[in-house]
Amino acid sequence: MAADSSITANDRPVDLDTGDDLDAFLATHDVALVEFYTKGCTLCQSVEPVLGTVATATDVAVATVNPRTDLSLVEAYDVRSVPTLVLFVDGAPVDRLAEGFVGVERVLELIRTHAPDRVPEDD
């Protein structure tokens, strides 16, 4: 399913299909967290609730994309393992987590490092 432009940053993670979808998503959000995953990856599935929490707890747009549907994404974003979480600021990747399962606090820490105003202080 392609990105739905009616979905705001605080609703839920957006499923993207292609690099073009990703480009359009990044063009409309100045801070975005993107999970690169593959179907059947149990670690990726375990990160899904974390992404949902991050999407609702922050002012950061969250999306997921399977690079197997657009292999150019593997090279473009140096995806060597899944899940890989990439934080984008103004359309450019600024940091990543590619260490398997990560919890909400670790993801919030990543966001605080590069966009502290996007994470509420009480989180």
Side-chain angles (χ1 to χ4, degrees):
M1 143 187 0
D4 180 347
S5 60
S6 67
I7 296 174
T8 63
N10 293 330
D11 289 325
R12 62 181 171 81
V14 176
D15 295 320
L16 307 173
D17 284 329
T18 67
D20 289 341
D21 293 340
L22 178 57
D23 291 343
F25 180 79
L26 295 174
T28 59
H29 301 286
D30 57 346
V31 179
L33 179 69
V34 177
E35 177 199 25
F36 293 88
Y37 76 96
T38 56
K39 186 176 178 179
C41 166
T42 56
L43 284 175
C44 300
Q45 292 169 351
S46 68
V47 171
E48 287 177 17
V50 171
L51 296 177
T53 299
V54 169
T56 58
T58 68
D59 186 25
V60 173
V62 179
T64 62
V65 64
N66 183 342
R68 288 186 179 170
T69 62
D70 186 340
L71 292 177
S72 68
L73 295 171
V74 173
E75 186 175 334
Y77 296 103
D78 194 31
V79 178
R80 300 291 173 228
S81 63
V82 291
T84 293
L85 302 175
V86 179
L87 183 66
F88 293 85
V89 175
D90 296 326
V94 295
D95 210 342
R96 69 178 46 233
L97 296 172
E99 52 202 55
F101 176 81
V102 290
V104 172
E105 192 51 46
R106 179 68 180 100
V107 177
L108 293 177
E109 178 183 312
L110 175 81
I111 296 167
R112 278 188 197 106
T113 299
H114 300 280
D117 60 318
R118 299 305 180 100
V119 181
E121 299 220 6
D122 59 346
D123 277 343

